[in-house]
Amino acid sequence: MRISRRAQAVAPFFAMEFGKHAAALESQGHHVIKLSIGEPDFGAPPAVRDAMREAMDGRPMPYTAALGLPELRQAIARFYRNEHGVEVAPSRVVVTAGASAALVLATAALVDTGDEVLIADPSYPCNRQIAESFGAHVTLVPATAETRFQLDAASVKENWTDRTRGIMIATPSNPTGTSVPAGELAAICELARERDAWRLVDEIYLNLSDHDERGRPPRSVLSFDPGAIVINSFSKYFGMTGWRLGWCVVPEILVPAMERLAQNYFLCASAPAQQAALACFTPESLAVCEARRVEFAERRALVLDGLARIGLPVPVPPDGAFYVYFDVGHTGLTSWQFCERALREAHVALTPGRDFGVHTAETHVRLSYAAPADDLREGLTRLGKFVATLQ
């Protein structure tokens, strides 16, 4: 059987690969501290779990409309108005089978073979893999600590060519947990808009970002660029990773194309998951999620303090998500070697920078603090002992 060139070109997702190795060690009786996967340990809010039980009472569960349950699309639109002060028409909301499906649909709608797409390096690997699967030429733009490991207007302008058709930005970012400052993001979007290019902004971790000194949540890109395409998810802020439910907000002109693509690619997102997700937007569930956001910030402080004591520098402290991107260049090991040995010798699972691009592939490691605080303390203790053996 001949495997397509597309499938052969797709690189492994190394975070998942290290997760498999960790599971193998656990099957041998070892206690592995898993800091490699971005999966909140809380699970869905209680009201959402209750709503799922009710939905799964044996009643018929037919397909929903391809764009999602109308009442869920309306609830997501209200969420933007109430949380971010942005008016979004429910007709622009597309409910998807996870944020990955949102990315697939948006990319299918926007990318033609040969189109150049600018993405920061480091960045979430699936963004470039999906874009390349649809024929895009992805230019990974090296991002440094000086720009918070993010694109800025200067680097976008410098790397722009006649073939550039769009940019993909994640803010806050996976793997770094850092955000693009609002003014810089507005400048990037304006630059792209002037060149008639699309702007796809991953806001999956937006509601896990720090609030400002007045207690206000961060701004969505839609507050200054209504024509941007926004990707979001129920996985992170709402803790619903395995439910595979996400959404995107698109300009009205894209809705018919997105609907046709959704009908053909996925039919619809999970009907019971959509029904249950309506309970995400109650005051009680939002209060639960906000309390968890605060706890993530406390875990971040614990991890940053622990890494500093170990002597593993964090070039840019994160301001959102639940990741820390630390530098292992001084240890004498590549990031891959560091992660392999940390798993084998200390039984701590991490993710090497190779997952996230080229520029920091050999020098940086991602740690996810989506794990319980006790696991984080134990993991840091083990890492400290491991690093001490490298001296």
Side-chain angles (χ1 to χ4, degrees), residues 21 40 46 58 84 99 117 119 142 147 151 170 183 199 213 215 226 281 297 301 309 324 330-331 360 368 378:
H21 295 321
H84 299 290
V117 178
I119 302 179
T147 62
L151 295 176
R199 293 82 57 203
E213 64 280 355
F281 302 104
R309 284 187 283 105
V324 174
H330 66 290
T331 66
T360 56
S368 168
E378 175 63 19

Side-chain angles (χ1 to χ4, degrees), residues 49-118:
R49 299 198 298 268
D50 291 343
M52 177 59 95
R53 293 187 191 97
E54 182 178 346
M56 297 298 289
D57 63 359
R59 74 184 74 176
M61 194 62 66
Y63 299 125
T64 72
L67 298 179
L69 285 173
E71 44 280 43
L72 183 57
R73 299 168 73 194
Q74 292 164 5
I76 292 168
R78 285 195 300 272
F79 182 68
Y80 278 95
R81 182 180 67 236
N82 296 338
E83 297 297 313
H84 299 290
V86 176
E87 291 293 336
V88 173
S91 58
R92 294 174 55 200
V93 177
V94 179
V95 179
T96 59
S100 296
L103 182 62
V104 167
L105 292 175
T107 306
L110 296 167
V111 170
D112 281 321
T113 300
D115 287 353
E116 183 180 56
V117 178
L118 303 183

Side-chain angles (χ1 to χ4, degrees), residues 185-266:
L185 183 57
I188 294 170
C189 290
E190 178 63 22
L191 187 155
R193 192 165 52 243
E194 289 173 350
R195 291 159 171 77
D196 198 28
W198 47 265
R199 293 82 57 203
L200 189 150
V201 181
D202 171 345
E203 292 186 345
I204 290 171
Y205 299 99
L206 182 68
N207 287 90
L208 287 174
S209 298
D210 294 342
H211 289 189
D212 66 16
E213 64 280 355
R214 295 171 59 182
R216 296 175 301 188
R219 297 171 67 187
S220 167
V221 67
L222 295 171
S223 65
F224 46 78
D225 186 1
I229 296 96
V230 168
I231 305 291
N232 213 317
S233 175
F234 288 90
S235 291
K236 310 302 183 178
Y237 182 64
F238 296 107
M240 296 167 62
T241 50
W243 299 58
R244 306 316 303 135
L245 196 64
W247 75 83
C248 54
V249 179
V250 302
E252 290 283 1
I253 194 172
L254 267 186
V255 173
M258 296 287 283
E259 184 171 25
R260 293 194 303 273
L261 289 165
Q263 288 168 342
N264 282 277
Y265 285 5
F266 304 109

Side-chain angles (χ1 to χ4, degrees), residues 274-338:
Q274 290 189 66
Q275 292 281 2
L278 290 166
C280 287
F281 302 104
T282 65
E284 295 77 13
S285 290
L286 291 172
V288 167
C289 293
E290 274 301 291
R292 293 172 174 180
R293 181 186 65 81
V294 172
E295 183 167 340
F296 277 133
E298 293 169 354
R299 294 181 186 183
R300 178 179 64 204
L302 185 160
V303 168
L304 289 174
D305 179 65
L307 291 174
R309 284 187 283 105
I310 294 169
L312 294 171
V314 178
V316 187
D319 61 333
F322 33 66
Y323 304 112
V324 174
Y325 205 50
F326 64 89
D327 191 338
V328 299
H330 66 290
T331 66
L333 302 177
T334 67
S335 67
W336 187 272
Q337 292 167 337
F338 186 96

